[in-house]
Every structure is written in structure tokens, then in C-alpha cells.
């Protein structure tokens, strides 16, 4: 039962409904993260410039191998197959920055400041996810622009490009939440920096990102079939080139929801854990 | 100079203690940080919590600030339970920890706006409060600079300003002057003195015993996780030897013979090295 004390130096702010406070506080945290990015443009090199370099390198190197017959089909066909994989691979490789940024906050004096404020308890994670989702979306748009210059074709033009951006952002958000939980579990920025990218690399390679599942080594195939990277790449390929969409889209939706809800809840609990 | 605080219903301030700690225990694994701690902080007072490194000061401060949970016992802040009514407590406290809780990559103004808005202020109220506090704390000229360019003293003052954004009834200061040069300590204490005269309740931990001697109304000495002495600085000095005895002497007399300072409380967040409590007794800049 809530006790109302006889003397109460009432706070000056006006209480608002919890869901409004959660959305407002998350937006404030997201705004702070974006302002930090804007004032420190060097921090955008990894999420926005490096993926473009990787895209050009991958397409140049592996596109030529395809011509020689190592990956099957003409280079144009393989390029059309490869680029969705590279887009998703970059999303998977960028998403762990969410966990690292959250851990930086948790390791600084700022964490105690946030925890001692009457703010929504999930706002630090939700705000981080919201600001990073904008970065993921910008990354996808830039990659698609360069990919188009490299010969990548998307059906339905703008609608197709928007759909691919949305799918890539949703996938990256799921991996980002997973990385946030893992980072808070690891609880050491240096260790997390070394550890968090391994699962992302493994996810990307044990999937259909770079080759059809049937062409992978036998032990990889069962993992690759249920890998969310495979589902995400399949959705992008279907949107770009045609093909079955419902099944991979459903699979990706389930993965994304599970990745956001389960590790997300655990990450918020971990962030707020009073020790 | 701007208004540092706007105490509300100060006439009732003494009706309920600002802090009531009852039989609190806390351990981190095998290390006992607090053992049956009882203490009361009256509203409108400046209370100092003294103790050697590892005595449990920071653990107690973190429990009061809702950052840690007691294993047993109860802590109430203005009558609200810090565990069950943490939100109510958070709305009424300001925390200045040992390390500035600031975003280094943003300006001082941006930091204050963020903290103020997160504490529930509207954009307009946060902006006017930020301007008021930066003026009061001598940071107006630096308000638009990134915090990473601030000196240590400026960071602490900005951190204090952030703690005051939502007009807290209780200000919790965990070693706010540690590591500051004498000039910066003097500036910070001038601000704290004004807050005190305005009626803000303050709980302070410090390793500078002269600061407690000079500014605190009540001192609690914590040792091995227990409160071993409480009283005004004058009372503690009298107990230790009377006329001519310093609080430093009183502190050493009270904690003498322990032989293991700094050994406990490893999980509590008490930071620092060596036996600073007996070393950093330099005079408070005046």
C-alpha cells in the first residue's frame, strides 16, 4: 500500500501518464544521442562510411569471382544475389554499436544520474534504440544508393527501396537489442568491444548472405536455414528481384519481435538492477 | 546571481525527517558493507557522513539515492520508502556523485536541458532553470562549450547544477570536492553554503574533515559499516578531548585501532586509494 507522508516537499514537475513519460523520455534520450553524433561527426564513420567501402570491395572482388564461375551464374545475377547479403551483413556488423554505447553510458557517472532521476526506466534503452534505428536506416539508404550505382536493381523503385530500408532497419534493431543485453551482461566495455562482433560475423557467414544455403558446408546448413540473416536476405531479394515473400517475411517478423522483446526486457532489467 | 533553490513548504520541513535509516544491512558477497545502521537526517540541515575508506559511506548514499537496495532494514526519504516508492524518492532528490554524471560530448547547457527535461520540467522551465543555475554557479560564459573542455571544478559545478535542476528537497553529495583544487573547493562550498541557508537539506560524504567541521550541522561517523558516533562537530570534539581538539583528532580517536581501513566495501562503489581520510584534512578555503 502506498504511504503518503505527512510532510512532502512535492516535486515541481507535473506527473504525466506512464506511457507518455516513457515515450517522452525515450525521445529525449534519442535526441541526446543524435545531438552527440551531430557534434562528433567522426562517430559516424563506422556506421555510415565503412559499410559503403565494404559494399564496393565485396561487389568488386566477389562479383569478378562470379564471372569466373566460382559463385555460379553471371556477375549481374550474382551481384543481385550478393548485395542484399552485404546490406544485411553490414546491418549485423553495425548493430553491436548499440550495446557498446549503452555500456559506455552504464560505465560512466551518467548512469547513476539517469537511475536517480524520476524518468521512465526503459527510456535509456528505448532512446538508444530509436536513435540507432535512424542511423541504421540512413546506412541502408546510402548502401542502396551506392548499390544502385553498382548495378543493383530493385522492382517498384521507390516503394521497393523503402521496403528494403524498413526491413534492414527492423533486422538491425533486433540485433541491436540483443547486443545491448549481451553488453550489459559482459559489463566491461573493452571485453564487449572484442566479443560482441563475433556473433554478428558468425550470423552473417552461416547464412545465405553470400551463397545459397544448399551451397554451404553440410554442418552450416541447418543453422543457416533458421538464421534471421537468411530470412532478412531472402526478404530483400524477393522485394528486389521477385520471389516468395510471405514465408521469409513472417520468419523475419518473428525473429525481430523475439529479439526486441526478450533481450530487450532482460536488458532493461539489467540496466535498472539496483545492486 | 540566480536563485539556487526554491524550497517548498519549508515551514513544515521539520515535521518528517528528510532521511530515516532504520536497521539497514547490506553485504556484497562475503563483504559486509553496512550492519544495522540507524540514523536520521532532519529536514533543512547539512549532515556529514564521515568514515575511513570502505566504511560504507557510499553504499549508504547509494541506497538513499535508490541506486542500491538494502538487504534488510528500511530507508525513507521524506517519508517515502526508497525501495517501494523509488519514483517518489527520485523526484525529491538530487545526486552529485564522486564522478560527474555529465555527457562530455555535449555543452553544459545541453546537459542541463536534458537532465531538467528528464526530471519532468517543460522545455521552457528547463531553459529558465538552466540559465538561472549557470548564472548562480558562474558557468554562463561556458554554457555553450562542450563539457570535455571544462576544468574539474567547472564539471563539479555543472554536475551540481544538474542535481538542482528539478528543485530537489534533498541534495546528496558524495565526496563533491574530492580532487578539486582549493579555489574550486572554495567556489563549490560558497554555493553549498547558499543552498544551506536557503533551507535545502544536504547529506554529504567527504574526506576533508575540516569541511564537515566547518559546514555540517550534524556528523555521523561510520566505521566497519556501523554508525559509531553522531552529534554536532562540537559534541564529537568534546567527546574526544574537549578544548583544542580538532574534528580530525576526534575522527582518529573514534576510529583508532581498526588497522584495516579501506579493506571493506569493495562492491559498494567506494573508490579511492589509501588512507585518505586521515590525510586530506587540509583547511577549507575561505
Amino acid at each position: 500500500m502506498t504511504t503518503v507522508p505527512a510532510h512532502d516537499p512535492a516535486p515541481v514537475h507535473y506527473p504525466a501518464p506512464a506511457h507518455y513519460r516513457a515515450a517522452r523520455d525515450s525521445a529525449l534520450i534519442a535526441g541526446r544521442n543524435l545531438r552527440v553524433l551531430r557534434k562528433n561527426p567522426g562517430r559516424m564513420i563506422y556506421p555510415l562510411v565503412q559499410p559503403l567501402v565494404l559494399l564496393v570491395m565485396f561487389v568488386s572482388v566477389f562479383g569478378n569471382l562470379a564471372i569466373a564461375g566460382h559463385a555460379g551464374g553471371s556477375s549481374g545475377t550474382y551481384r543481385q544475389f550478393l548485395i542484399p547479403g552485404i546490406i544485411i551483413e553490414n546491418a549485423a556488423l553495425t548493430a553491436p554499436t548499440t550495446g557498446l554505447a549503452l555500456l559506455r553510458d552504464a560505465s560512466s557517472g551518467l548512469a547513476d544520474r539517469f537511475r536517480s532521476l524520476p524518468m521512465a526506466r526503459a527510456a535509456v534503452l528505448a532512446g538508444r534504440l530509436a536513435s540507432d534505428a535512424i542511423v541504421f536506416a540512413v546506412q541502408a539508404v546510402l548502401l542502396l544508393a551506392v548499390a544502385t550505382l553498382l548495378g543493383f536493381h530493385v522492382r517498384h523503385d521507390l516503394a521497393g527501396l523503402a521496403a528494403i530500408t524498413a526491413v534492414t532497419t527492423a533486422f538491425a534493431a533486433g540485433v541491436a537489442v540483443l547486443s545491448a543485453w549481451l553488453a550489459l551482461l559482459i559489463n566491461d566495455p573493452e571485453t564487449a568491444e572484442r566479443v560482441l562482433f563475433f556473433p554478428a560475423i558468425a550470423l552473417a557467414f552461416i547464412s545465405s548472405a553470400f551463397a545459397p544455403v544448399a551451397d554451404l558446408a553440410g554442418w552450416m546448413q541447418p543453422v543457416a536455414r533458421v538464421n534471421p540473416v537468411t530470412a532478412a536476405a531472402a526478404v530483400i531479394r524477393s522485394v528486389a528481384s521477385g520471389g516468395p515473400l510471405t514465408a521469409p517475411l513472417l520468419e523475419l517478423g518473428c525473429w525481430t519481435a523475439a529479439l526486441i522483446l526478450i533481450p530487450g526486457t532482460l536488458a532493461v532489467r539489467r540496466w535498472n538492477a539496483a545492486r | 546571481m540566480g536563485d539556487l533553490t526554491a524550497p517548498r513548504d519549508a515551514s513544515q520541513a521539520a515535521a518528517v525527517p528528510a532521511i530515516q535509516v532504520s536497521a539497514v544491512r547490506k553485504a556484497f558477497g562475503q563483504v559486509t558493507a553496512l550492519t544495522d545502521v540507524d540514523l536520521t537526517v532532519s529536514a533543512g540541515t547539512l549532515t556529514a557522513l564521515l568514515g575511513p575508506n570502505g566504511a560504507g559511506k557510499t553504499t549508504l548514499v547509494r541506497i538513499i539515492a535508490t541506486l542500491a537496495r538494502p538487504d534488510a532494514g528500511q530507508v525513507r526519504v521524506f517519508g517515502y520508502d526508497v525501495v517501494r516508492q523509488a519514483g517518489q524518492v527520485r523526484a525529491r532528490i538530487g545526486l552529485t556523485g564522486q564522478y560527474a554524471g555529465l555527457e562530455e560530448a555535449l555543452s553544459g547547457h545541453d546537459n542541463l536541458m536534458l537532465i531538467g527535461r528528464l526530471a519532468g520540467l517543460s522545455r521552457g522551465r528547463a531553459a529558465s532553470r538552466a540559465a538561472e543555475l549557470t548564472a548562480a554557479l558562474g558557468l554562463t560564459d561556458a554554457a555553450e562549450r562542450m563539457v570535455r573542455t571544462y576544468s574539474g571544478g567547472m564539471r563539479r559545478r555543472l554536475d551540481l547544477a544538474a542535481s538542482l535542476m528539478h528543485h530537489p528537497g534533498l541534495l546528496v553529495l558524495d565526496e563533491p570536492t574530492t580532487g578539486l583544487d582549493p579555489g574550486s573547493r572554495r567556489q563549490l562550498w560558497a554555493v553549498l553554503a547558499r543552498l544551506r541557508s536557503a533551507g535545502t537539506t544536504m547529506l554529504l560524504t567527504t574526506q576533508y574533515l575540516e569541511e564537515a567541521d566547518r559546514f555540517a550541522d550534524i556528523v555521523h561517523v561510520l566505521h566497519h559499516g556501523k554508525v559509531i558516533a553522531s552529534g554536532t562537530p562540537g559534541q564529537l570534539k568534546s567527546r574526544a578531548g574537549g578544548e583544542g581538539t580538532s574534528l580530525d583528532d576526534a575522527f582518529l580517536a573514534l576510529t583508532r585501532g581498526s588497522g584495516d581501513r579501506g579493506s571493506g566495501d569493495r562492491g559498494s562503489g567506494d573508490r579511492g586509494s589509501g588512507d585518505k581520510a586521515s590525510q586530506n584534512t587540509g583547511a577549507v578555503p575561505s
Side-chain angles (χ1 to χ4, degrees):
Chain A
M1 195 178 79
T2 301
T3 308
V4 179
H7 162 66
D8 182 7
V12 294
H13 73 269
Y14 300 102
H19 62 277
Y20 170 78
R21 282 301 302 264
R24 178 183 181 273
D25 292 347
S26 301
L28 287 168
I29 294 290
R32 163 249 181 176
N33 298 338
L34 293 173
R35 205 171 299 122
V36 168
L37 268 185
R38 185 166 56 81
K39 295 194 173 184
N40 302 269
R43 296 190 190 186
M44 283 189 265
I45 290 174
Y46 180 78
L48 298 185
V49 178
Q50 183 168 299
L52 298 179
V53 175
L54 282 177
L55 173 69
V56 173
M57 295 297 176
F58 264 81
V59 170
S60 302
V61 173
F62 293 106
N64 290 338
L65 286 176
I67 290 172
H70 293 282
S74 71
S75 64
T77 305
Y78 184 62
R79 184 172 296 139
Q80 197 70 11
F81 179 89
L82 177 64
I83 285 176
I86 295 171
I87 290 172
I88 286 300
E89 183 219 16
N90 275 307
L93 287 175
T94 307
T97 56
T98 299
L100 295 177
L102 195 69
L103 191 53
R104 264 200 305 276
D105 279 349
S107 310
S108 73
L110 209 51
D112 282 352
R113 165 80 66 208
F114 288 149
R115 288 184 184 117
S116 69
L117 284 173
M119 59 185 283
R121 313 312 290 159
V124 174
L125 176 62
R128 169 62 60 189
L129 189 60
S131 57
D132 283 358
I134 291 171
V135 174
F136 301 149
V138 172
Q139 179 194 78
V141 168
L142 290 176
L143 281 171
L144 284 168
V146 174
T148 303
L149 293 176
L150 292 172
F152 184 57
H153 174 69
V154 177
R155 297 185 314 154
H156 310 304
D157 293 333
L158 282 180
L161 291 171
I164 291 172
T165 301
V167 164
T168 307
T169 303
F171 167 79
V175 179
V177 174
L178 178 63
S179 83
W181 175 53
L182 291 174
L184 293 175
L185 273 182
I186 293 167
N187 201 25
D188 173 55
E190 282 191 28
T191 306
E193 207 162 318
R194 287 162 171 77
V195 168
L196 282 183
F197 291 95
F198 282 123
I201 292 168
L203 270 178
F205 277 89
I206 308 176
S207 74
S208 70
F210 306 119
V213 173
D215 291 348
L216 297 176
W219 66 268
M220 286 182 167
Q221 292 185 15
V223 181
R225 281 194 195 95
V226 296
N227 187 337
V229 171
T230 298
V235 170
I236 295 177
R237 285 175 188 132
S238 294
V239 171
S241 313
L245 183 60
T246 308
L249 191 58
L250 198 63
E251 191 181 339
L252 180 63
C254 290
W255 265 114
T256 303
L259 284 172
I260 289 176
L261 290 177
I262 298 169
T265 305
L266 296 171
V268 170
R269 279 190 193 166
R270 186 89 189 162
W271 170 268
N272 290 321
R275 288 175 278 272
Chain B
M1 295 286 268
D3 172 34
L4 282 172
T5 186
R8 292 162 301 286
D9 50 10
S11 60
Q12 301 177 46
V16 167
I19 304 171
Q20 181 79 56
V21 178
S22 308
V24 163
R25 293 183 194 179
K26 180 73 177 176
F28 297 93
Q30 298 301 311
V31 180
T32 300
L34 298 172
T35 308
D36 294 328
V37 171
D38 293 289
L39 63 85
T40 301
V41 172
S42 300
T45 62
L46 194 163
T47 299
L49 206 53
L50 302 182
N53 288 331
K57 303 183 299 295
T58 294
T59 300
L60 185 55
V61 160
R62 290 180 68 80
I63 290 172
I64 291 167
T66 76
L67 300 175
R69 288 168 180 260
D71 296 336
Q74 190 178 56
V75 177
R76 287 184 171 273
V77 173
F78 294 117
Y80 292 103
D81 187 282
V82 296
V83 175
R84 290 183 296 109
Q85 297 167 296
Q88 299 285 0
V89 173
R90 289 173 187 137
R92 290 160 176 81
I93 63 167
L95 173 67
T96 295
Q98 293 179 23
Y99 298 93
L102 302 165
E103 174 55 75
E104 300 263 323
L106 292 179
S107 70
H109 175 78
D110 285 346
N111 268 279
L112 295 184
M113 285 297 291
L114 176 67
I115 301 301
R117 303 284 327 272
L118 288 172
L121 301 181
S122 66
R123 185 186 298 274
R125 292 188 76 175
S128 61
R129 183 67 172 154
E132 192 175 68
L133 288 169
T134 48
L137 295 171
L139 292 168
T140 302
D141 292 343
E144 298 304 328
R145 274 170 43 197
M146 275 202 202
V147 171
R148 69 163 65 111
T149 68
Y150 283 24
S151 67
M154 291 167 75
R155 281 172 205 232
R156 290 292 170 90
R157 279 184 282 145
L158 184 66
D159 197 44
L160 182 60
S163 308
L164 294 170
M165 279 297 288
H166 59 303
H167 298 266
L170 170 66
L171 190 57
V172 180
L173 303 152
D174 190 15
E175 301 192 10
T177 56
T178 297
L180 294 186
D181 62 56
S184 298
R185 286 170 62 198
R186 180 189 300 179
Q187 282 180 316
L188 200 62
W189 270 108
V191 174
L192 295 178
R194 287 171 56 202
L195 283 167
R196 181 193 181 196
S197 60
T200 300
T201 308
M202 285 185 269
L203 177 66
L204 164 82
T205 73
T206 181
Q207 296 185 358
Y208 299 96
L209 302 188
E210 287 291 332
E211 290 182 346
D213 194 6
R214 179 166 179 174
F215 295 105
D217 299 304
I218 298 290
V219 171
H220 297 285
V221 180
L222 210 56
H223 192 41
H224 289 314
K226 293 180 181 174
V227 177
I228 58 168
S230 297
T232 65
Q235 287 170 335
L236 294 184
K237 286 188 280 189
S238 297
R239 202 179 302 174
E243 193 70 26
T245 303
S246 68
L247 189 61
D248 191 25
D249 296 330
F251 177 84
L252 290 172
L254 288 164
T255 58
R256 184 173 296 145
S258 66
D260 60 349
R261 284 191 194 173
S263 60
D265 212 8
R266 280 169 292 185
S268 71
D270 263 5
R271 297 173 176 114
S273 59
D275 195 1
K276 289 180 188 170
S278 61
Q279 295 165 0
N280 299 329
T281 55
V284 178
S286 57

